[in-house]
Amino acid sequence: MSSVQIVWLRRDLRLADQPAFHAAAQAGPVVPVYVLDDDRAGDHAYGGASRVWLHHSLDSLARSLGAHRSRIVLRRGDARQVLAALADQVGAACIHAMRHYEPWWKEAEDELRDALGDDCKLCLYDGNYLLPPGSVTTGSGSPYKIYTPFSKAMLDVMPPRDPLPEPGTIHSPDSWPDSADLQDWKLLPAKPDWAGGISDFWDFGEAAAHDRLDWWADEVADYDEGRNLPSQDITSRLSPHLHWGEISPAQVWHKLKDKRSDGWRTFAKELIWRDYAQNVIDQFPDYPRESYRDYDERKLWRNPDAGHLIDEDLEGWQMGMTGYPIVDAGMRQLWQTGWMHNRVRMIAASFLVKHLLIDWRYGEQWFWDCLVDADYGNNGVNWQWISGTGVDSNMFVRIMAPLTQSEKFNSADYIREYVPELADLSDDCIHDPPDEKRGDYPAKMIGHKEARERALEAYRAAK
Ligand SMILES: Cc1cc2nc3c(=O)[nH]c(=O)nc-3n(C[C@H](O)[C@H](O)[C@H](O)COP(=O)(O)OP(=O)(O)OC[C@H]3O[C@@H](n4cnc5c(N)ncnc54)[C@H](O)[C@@H]3O)c2cc1C
């Protein structure tokens, strides 16, 4: 019998188009393992919503493996130590894993390679992105820093390779190593159980991801116009499935590529944004933690460190109590469902950094904790884009007007859904309710004109 193969799973929780699984299944009996390594990522250890998704996704993958008479071994601790010890225990010839670009995973891969003895090697595979980050380069061979030329270069070499099928047979080892019990990891909240909204809003796992993609194939034609309308369900909502690797971008691309619509063409560019973000963190590993541009940030942000009392403003934003209905609807959608519509993410993020002049990193951390699709690359790149501090970003002086945006993108029904205090207001006044119609809903934290002037003044001082 050929020797045991370990598949080290991370954000690649699928069986089809999973090159690490594919290679392992062809080489010998397979031990799939997931290691919960909370310390390694530091301030980017999985947040609350991510842990809920992870629980359900692991549970779903375990059931799929069960149908192949296989299992998933769960272990907790330092990934390098756990995997090296497991390789020793089962006599593995190879640990197969998909490549990941978060700096702590790149470091873990290097450490693991060094820790493995001569009898076991680490084999890394690409496939969580359309193309391996860093592989599309400028004429001079450097990685791209700016999205638009990156996107053009990507489109020139698309489509991605054909997706791989699910392994037909997955042989088991003679005996299974011990596994932790998923329930004992307590990834789901208990007291209080705040995750009900997430479970109601989502179906988890590989099969659910493909169901959503099947649905999306009939809707994508409307994406070009519909993607900015929060009241309507005209975006794919594939982001957590892609983030957790329940579906690959190549599978998505090949399913949709023959749709000859503006909707598909625009959607393809959004998938490329996802690749772009990985290219950015591959070049600048601390990008989600450090501003790229050289502002005097002490003069830009109203930080607690700089002696300002911003806690109440930050909490009001987090809880959806800013007095701006579109911002509050978004922040409450995030809290309830673990997801927020992209247009509203932009408006809510801009409100934090420009209207409240709060450092983007507070927003990045809140989203990190609350999003089911919280992604080191996508979250950091988008926050820096909005805050005007990034390598490729919106200029700081472009300040989004939340009330105008709300009206322009017909957000009335979205506000009614997530801000029930305002549900009875007419389309005319729901975007900016007059004082006498607000009832228990709070007054605006700060007027738009005043906020705009304050932000421009801070920018002039900081640049
Ligand atoms: C402040 C801020 C923070 C964000 N944080 C995250 C995050 O942590 N994780 C995340 O996946 N996305 C993030 N986004 C990007 C975007 O909002 C979400 O990807 C999108 O809303 C997910 O919904 P969807 O699947 O319906 O997207 P669709 O509009 O259907 O797009 C399809 C896919 O393309 C990718 N995509 C779309 N827009 C972007 C984008 N701007 N940047 C990178 N990839 C994109 C996603 O994988 C998405 O699933 C953030 C945006 C902002 C403004």
Side-chain angles (χ1 to χ4, degrees), residues 258-422:
D258 297 328
K259 308 267 169 201
R260 303 191 178 283
S261 61
D262 287 346
W264 154 243
R265 280 183 280 275
T266 304
F267 183 76
K269 289 186 190 149
E270 297 304 321
L271 282 180
I272 291 175
W273 263 105
R274 183 175 172 273
D275 268 51
Y276 168 73
Q278 295 301 307
N279 274 265
V280 172
I281 60 161
D282 195 34
Q283 291 174 72
F284 310 108
D286 279 333
Y287 196 78
R289 295 171 168 135
E290 284 174 14
S291 292
Y292 178 84
R293 279 176 203 278
D294 208 8
Y295 291 119
D296 183 348
E297 294 195 72
R298 287 164 310 170
K299 294 187 177 144
L300 193 53
W301 313 121
R302 296 160 61 232
N303 274 339
D305 302 347
H308 295 287
L309 295 173
I310 59 150
D311 287 2
E312 270 180 32
D313 285 2
L314 179 59
E315 200 181 311
W317 177 80
Q318 290 170 335
M319 295 298 120
M321 298 292 275
T322 66
Y324 282 78
I326 184 68
V327 175
D328 294 338
M331 296 308 292
R332 295 186 198 185
Q333 181 183 34
L334 173 64
W335 183 251
Q336 284 172 34
T337 68
W339 184 86
M340 197 195 301
H341 188 279
N342 179 59
R343 170 61 44 186
V344 193
R345 287 189 206 203
M346 291 197 286
I347 299 170
S350 172
F351 187 86
L352 184 81
V353 291
K354 310 264 172 86
H355 282 67
L356 299 182
L357 277 178
I358 292 178
D359 189 329
W360 62 270
R361 281 160 280 227
Y362 287 87
E364 193 273 348
Q365 279 288 303
W366 184 251
F367 274 29
W368 183 260
D369 197 25
C370 297
L371 281 170
V372 288
D373 63 23
D375 183 277
Y376 189 71
N378 283 358
N379 203 29
V381 162
N382 279 283
W383 272 99
Q384 291 233 49
W385 191 83
I386 292 287
S387 71
T389 52
V391 52
D392 181 5
S393 61
N394 208 347
M395 287 171 35
F396 187 90
V397 291
R398 280 199 57 200
I399 296 171
M400 283 177 122
L403 304 173
T404 315
Q405 292 270 319
S406 181
E407 224 172 322
K408 181 173 169 196
F409 296 115
N410 299 333
S411 310
D413 285 342
Y414 179 74
I415 294 171
R416 286 189 189 100
E417 183 170 359
Y418 290 104
V419 189
E421 307 95 289
L422 303 179

Side-chain angles (χ1 to χ4, degrees), residues 33-328:
V33 55
Y34 184 89
V35 184
L36 185 62
D37 183 349
D38 271 334
D39 292 340
R40 194 170 272 281
D43 56 356
H44 283 81
Y46 287 135
S50 290
R51 296 170 97 78
V52 171
W53 195 286
L54 176 62
H55 174 99
H56 291 298
S57 199
L58 286 172
D59 188 40
S60 165
L61 185 62
R63 277 184 277 115
S64 305
L65 283 167
H68 285 268
R69 297 196 190 153
S70 180
R71 310 180 180 175
I72 181 164
V73 172
L74 304 177
R75 294 275 171 102
R76 191 169 201 157
D78 176 75
R80 174 191 50 129
Q81 285 174 8
V82 169
L83 287 162
L86 184 67
D88 220 25
Q89 184 189 345
V90 300
C94 184
I95 298 181
H96 304 262
M98 303 286 287
R99 261 196 198 88
H100 291 271
Y101 293 86
E102 291 90 341
W104 58 90
W105 285 138
K106 290 206 290 192
E107 189 184 87
E109 288 160 11
D110 289 344
E111 287 177 8
L112 179 60
R113 194 179 291 106
D114 291 345
L116 291 174
D118 292 341
D119 298 336
C120 182
K121 55 188 176 154
L122 175 65
C123 298
L124 296 174
Y125 304 84
D126 295 303
N128 264 5
Y129 298 96
L130 293 167
L131 287 177
S135 63
V136 173
T137 54
T138 63
S140 64
S142 318
Y144 284 98
K145 292 192 174 68
I146 306 294
Y147 168 76
T148 304
F150 173 79
S151 167
K152 284 192 184 129
M154 285 283 290
L155 284 168
D156 279 350
V157 292
M158 284 293 102
R161 56 150 182 78
D162 286 340
L164 296 165
E166 190 173 311
T169 309
I170 303 175
H171 293 290
S172 293
D174 291 339
S175 64
W176 280 97
D178 292 346
S179 168
D181 185 337
L182 183 58
Q183 302 297 336
D184 292 344
W185 280 0
K186 297 195 179 3
L187 298 171
L188 299 179
K191 290 179 188 165
D193 175 7
W194 45 259
I198 296 182
S199 310
D200 290 347
F201 198 73
W202 296 101
D203 293 318
F204 309 89
E206 186 171 7
H210 284 276
D211 287 348
R212 187 72 192 175
L213 178 59
D214 289 346
W215 169 83
W216 182 238
D218 295 332
E219 307 290 325
V220 68
D222 295 333
Y223 182 74
D224 196 38
E225 302 216 330
R227 72 198 174 113
N228 282 313
L229 305 176
S231 298
Q232 298 187 32
D233 192 11
I234 313 183
T235 71
S236 71
R237 281 196 202 157
L238 285 169
S239 54
H241 299 295
L242 282 162
H243 169 75
W244 290 102
E246 295 173 347
I247 196 165
S248 76
Q251 291 173 313
V252 176
W253 192 284
H254 283 280
K255 172 93 183 178
L256 303 175
K257 70 178 191 304
D258 297 328
K259 308 267 169 201
R260 303 191 178 283
S261 61
D262 287 346
W264 154 243
R265 280 183 280 275
T266 304
F267 183 76
K269 289 186 190 149
E270 297 304 321
L271 282 180
I272 291 175
W273 263 105
R274 183 175 172 273
D275 268 51
Y276 168 73
Q278 295 301 307
N279 274 265
V280 172
I281 60 161
D282 195 34
Q283 291 174 72
F284 310 108
D286 279 333
Y287 196 78
R289 295 171 168 135
E290 284 174 14
S291 292
Y292 178 84
R293 279 176 203 278
D294 208 8
Y295 291 119
D296 183 348
E297 294 195 72
R298 287 164 310 170
K299 294 187 177 144
L300 193 53
W301 313 121
R302 296 160 61 232
N303 274 339
D305 302 347
H308 295 287
L309 295 173
I310 59 150
D311 287 2
E312 270 180 32
D313 285 2
L314 179 59
E315 200 181 311
W317 177 80
Q318 290 170 335
M319 295 298 120
M321 298 292 275
T322 66
Y324 282 78
I326 184 68
V327 175
D328 294 338

